[in-house]
Amino acid sequence: MQSLRTRRPSETRTVKRQASKLEKKPINKNVRKSTVDDKIKKRMSLRYAEISAPTEASVPDVPSVPIGLRPGAVRDPDELVLERASIREDPKVIDQRLLDKEDFDPDTYLKAKLANSTEAELRSLQSSLRSSKDDTAVELQRNVFKNYAEFVHISKEISVLENEVLELKESLSEWKSMPSLLHIDESASASERRRNVRSSIADLRVLYANQMQTLHTQIEGSAKFAPTTPGRHVIYEMDGIYALNAATYRVSNTVKFVVLDDSVLVAKRRRRNNGEGGRLVAERCWPLNEMLVLDTKDTATMTNVFKVRHQKETYVYRTEAPSDKKTLLGQFRQVAEELAIRKRREREGEHERRKSMWTSGDRTSMTLHPDKVPPLPDWMAELARKAGVDGDTSARDKSESDARFISDFSDDLTVAIALRSWERAVQLVEEGRAKLSSIPSLSAKLTPLTASLTSALLDALSAPGNRKNTAVSLIGHLLKLGQGPAARLTFLNARAGAVDRYVKAIRFEGHVGMYVHDLALVVFTGIKHTADWFLAGFVEHDMTSTLIDWAKKQIEMYAERFRKQVYSSDVEQQTIKEALKITHNQSRKVCPLSPLSIHTNLYSCFSFFLFV
């Protein structure tokens, strides 16, 4: 490229200017001059005309500036944010927003991505979708863990509300049927209804008496189990319930449940000669405060089963539909709660009546009317009042404290059994037995829990992997519970099973002496250890006869195996003598100082059973 200083004169650009009086004569174009000099001269030769007024030259109008671009114009902030976001927003964020839409169409989305994306972009899209999937799964799991407690709480509330709605529905149905039961005309006016309400108590008494009379007529023998008493009435009836055998769960007959306000009457249907159902006969009646209803979990072969426990007897029943079972159990619970409330109010009223006895009556009226008490001096009346109040309060407090103690005791003992805290469980049983004299109602909870604890201890004692300390501790707990014979039998059976397993594990590899050595070692060691554990657990030696019988059976087992293995047709006499010597030596080596001198009798017992 040529510089302006070296440019040829022909290449210079000619500038046409109008002739002016002040313009100098033209300079020769062939003279080389620099661009800088040219520009300086051009600048110095310019003249500007002074325009004092507008001319008539046509000047185009300046275009107007858009409103959005005018300086100082106020724009919508959302519009600015959208413009900035559209410029700076990441494509992944845009994809995530598309995926979060409710009306997201995956086919359209994939078509657009496959049509306008390269292989690298598709791989990036695949990885981003996988990461989004993993993030979503983690977020869902976190939300589940976070809301689990609330979910459980809401589920419980929903179940409670369902039960309350069912009870409300039943109450509404009863309320709807009350006018017909009370023989009230629904079309009567309000004044007539108020007049009928005044005699509602008498009507209820008549209604209850009629109900009981009808019940005695329909069910034979029901008057013996549930006689007519003031206030007793029928609350609910359900027929078509199957009575099952408690042992085999087979249907024995069909019964009808009649729920009274204070008891439950069960009537079975007497079958006729042709097999059809006949007259109802009262079978049994349980007071509500003495019976226990147990809901049984459904299985593949048995559904809608529930149990009724009264004293030491257990009865099993089954309904046709789950709704029938739920309704019947709900009636049991509701009537039992109402009975408990009524009994509590009666007790409180009795306490109030007894307290009021000290404030009225005289000595003469006390003789004629035992309900009245003679007047006392002020100081004696005060003492009597305090004594009466304190006595009633203490009785009520004792009843409540006993109920709380029984509840806490049963919960603690159940938890101890579940956690296999044997020492704590046995201690609780001993405390419960000590309190039976002061709290007789505790026996209803203590007896089944003690049986459950005994069963759990026996199961633990029969475990094959028990050590000496564990076995001795379990035997001690069972002895404290008064289960010595069961503990002795379970322990010896478990030890016999252990010895039998070890004997079966011995392999015969062709050498009779080695087999007899291993067999004697296992059997005699088992007898020695069992005797040590037995005498450590059962301190009283009156139970050692059972141990001797058990050891005798083990020697018999050893002699039988010894005879089958040694005394065969192809065994030499020297081998037999060697086997007998091994047996004798092992019995003395394993049991040098065995309790009860068992080691002195092992060889003799063995020889006796061997040659008999």
Side-chain angles (χ1 to χ4, degrees), residues 67-86:
I67 298 175
L69 300 178
R70 292 179 184 177
V74 180
R75 300 182 64 185
D76 189 1
D78 296 337
E79 184 180 355
L80 296 176
V81 170
L82 290 174
E83 289 183 0
R84 295 173 185 173
S86 61

Side-chain angles (χ1 to χ4, degrees), residues 202-263:
D203 293 339
L204 282 176
R205 291 175 181 174
V206 174
L207 175 63
Y208 293 163
N210 293 336
Q211 283 184 350
M212 296 304 298
Q213 185 178 0
T214 305
L215 177 66
H216 296 161
T217 305
Q218 293 177 351
I219 301 177
E220 183 180 348
S222 59
K224 177 182 176 181
F225 291 101
T228 303
T229 58
R232 175 174 286 177
H233 59 281
V234 178
I235 295 179
Y236 186 75
E237 298 180 9
M238 180 175 287
D239 200 355
I241 299 176
Y242 298 104
L244 308 180
N245 191 318
T248 61
Y249 278 64
R250 293 183 178 178
V251 178
S252 58
N253 51 27
T254 306
V255 299
K256 178 180 181 180
F257 272 76
V258 180
V259 182
L260 305 175
D261 63 323
D262 59 348
S263 58

Side-chain angles (χ1 to χ4, degrees), residues 39-286:
K39 289 185 177 182
I40 291 173
K41 292 178 180 180
K42 181 180 178 181
R43 176 66 177 170
M44 294 177 63
S45 63
L46 291 176
R47 295 291 186 272
Y48 298 96
E50 296 182 0
I51 301 175
S52 58
T55 60
E56 296 180 358
S58 61
V59 180
D61 297 334
V62 178
S64 61
V65 180
I67 298 175
L69 300 178
R70 292 179 184 177
V74 180
R75 300 182 64 185
D76 189 1
D78 296 337
E79 184 180 355
L80 296 176
V81 170
L82 290 174
E83 289 183 0
R84 295 173 185 173
S86 61
I87 296 173
R88 301 178 182 178
E89 198 165 16
D90 192 2
K92 294 182 179 180
V93 178
I94 299 175
D95 294 340
Q96 188 66 32
R97 189 184 299 111
L98 290 175
L99 294 174
D100 291 340
K101 289 184 177 180
E102 295 182 357
D103 56 348
F104 174 72
D105 187 3
D107 296 335
T108 305
Y109 176 78
L110 289 177
K111 287 180 181 179
K113 287 295 182 182
L114 293 175
N116 302 324
S117 301
T118 61
E119 182 178 0
E121 291 177 350
L122 292 178
R123 293 183 182 275
S124 176
L125 175 63
Q126 183 182 11
S127 63
S128 64
L129 291 177
R130 286 180 178 175
S131 62
S132 300
K133 178 184 177 182
D134 297 339
D135 294 342
T136 305
V138 171
E139 185 66 23
L140 288 175
Q141 187 177 10
R142 189 183 298 111
N143 290 335
V144 169
F145 291 157
K146 179 180 179 182
N147 301 324
Y148 181 73
E150 296 180 1
F151 173 75
V152 173
H153 180 67
I154 292 173
S155 300
K156 291 182 179 179
E157 289 185 352
I158 290 173
S159 62
V160 172
L161 288 176
E162 287 181 352
N163 295 333
E164 292 180 353
V165 168
L166 289 175
E167 294 176 358
L168 179 60
K169 184 178 180 181
E170 294 173 0
S171 300
L172 289 176
S173 61
E174 293 178 359
W175 176 80
K176 187 176 181 181
S177 61
M178 282 302 294
S180 60
L181 293 175
L182 297 177
H183 306 288
I184 299 175
D185 188 7
E186 297 183 359
S187 61
S189 61
S191 60
E192 293 178 353
R193 291 184 179 181
R194 282 195 298 269
R195 187 166 54 254
N196 293 331
V197 167
R198 296 190 186 100
S199 59
S200 60
I201 298 177
D203 293 339
L204 282 176
R205 291 175 181 174
V206 174
L207 175 63
Y208 293 163
N210 293 336
Q211 283 184 350
M212 296 304 298
Q213 185 178 0
T214 305
L215 177 66
H216 296 161
T217 305
Q218 293 177 351
I219 301 177
E220 183 180 348
S222 59
K224 177 182 176 181
F225 291 101
T228 303
T229 58
R232 175 174 286 177
H233 59 281
V234 178
I235 295 179
Y236 186 75
E237 298 180 9
M238 180 175 287
D239 200 355
I241 299 176
Y242 298 104
L244 308 180
N245 191 318
T248 61
Y249 278 64
R250 293 183 178 178
V251 178
S252 58
N253 51 27
T254 306
V255 299
K256 178 180 181 180
F257 272 76
V258 180
V259 182
L260 305 175
D261 63 323
D262 59 348
S263 58
V264 176
L265 178 67
V266 179
K268 67 178 181 180
R269 192 172 295 278
R270 181 183 299 170
R271 294 183 179 179
R272 298 176 182 175
N273 296 331
N274 55 5
E276 297 179 357
R279 184 176 176 80
L280 289 171
V281 180
E283 185 177 16
R284 57 180 61 91
C285 185
W286 307 303

Side-chain angles (χ1 to χ4, degrees), residues 320-554:
E320 282 288 349
S323 59
D324 296 340
K325 172 185 172 183
K326 188 175 183 180
T327 304
L328 185 60
L329 297 185
Q331 287 292 334
F332 287 159
R333 182 177 63 255
Q334 179 182 355
V335 176
E337 292 175 354
E338 293 177 355
L339 178 62
I341 294 173
R342 188 167 66 252
K343 293 290 186 182
R344 186 174 66 251
R345 289 177 179 175
E346 290 177 358
R347 288 195 301 268
E348 293 176 355
E350 183 66 19
H351 293 330
E352 293 294 334
R353 188 186 66 82
R354 290 181 180 178
K355 287 191 295 183
S356 63
M357 287 170 58
W358 294 97
T359 61
S360 62
D362 53 14
R363 191 172 302 274
T364 304
S365 61
M366 180 184 66
T367 305
L368 300 176
H369 304 282
D371 296 338
K372 297 184 179 181
V373 182
L376 298 174
D378 296 339
W379 61 275
M380 291 183 65
E382 183 68 19
L383 291 176
R385 185 181 62 80
K386 290 182 178 179
V389 173
D390 294 341
D392 295 337
T393 304
S394 62
R396 183 168 59 253
D397 293 344
K398 184 179 184 303
S399 177
E400 295 177 356
S401 63
D402 290 348
R404 287 195 300 268
F405 174 79
I406 292 173
S407 177
D408 296 341
F409 173 81
S410 60
D411 292 343
D412 294 342
L413 185 53
T414 303
V415 171
I417 295 172
L419 297 178
R420 304 175 72 84
S421 302
W422 308 128
E423 186 175 357
R424 172 63 176 164
V426 173
Q427 183 181 359
L428 287 172
V429 170
E430 292 178 345
E431 293 177 0
R433 289 176 175 176
K435 289 184 176 292
L436 279 178
S437 57
S438 59
I439 309 176
S441 58
L442 180 61
S443 61
K445 293 286 186 180
L446 182 60
T447 302
L449 289 175
T450 304
S452 176
L453 175 60
T454 303
S455 176
L457 287 171
L458 292 175
D459 290 342
L461 183 61
S462 62
N466 286 335
R467 299 292 181 181
K468 179 179 180 180
N469 295 334
T470 305
V472 171
S473 177
L474 292 173
I475 291 172
H477 294 327
L478 287 168
L479 290 176
K480 290 180 181 179
L481 296 176
Q483 300 295 329
R488 182 172 63 248
L489 181 62
T490 303
F491 171 72
L492 293 178
N493 289 339
R495 292 299 300 168
V499 172
D500 187 62
R501 283 194 301 273
Y502 286 125
V503 167
K504 290 180 179 179
I506 300 175
R507 298 175 59 185
F508 180 72
E509 298 178 352
H511 195 281
V512 176
M514 290 297 297
Y515 179 81
V516 172
H517 176 272
D518 294 341
L519 181 64
L521 181 63
V522 168
V523 174
F524 297 152
T525 303
I527 294 175
K528 176 182 180 297
H529 289 172
T530 302
D532 292 341
W533 295 12
F534 187 92
L535 296 178
F538 300 96
V539 182
E540 301 294 335
H541 294 319
D542 56 350
M543 300 181 180
T544 52
S545 60
T546 309
L547 174 63
I548 299 300
D549 293 338
W550 180 85
K552 176 184 174 183
K553 293 179 180 179
Q554 298 303 311

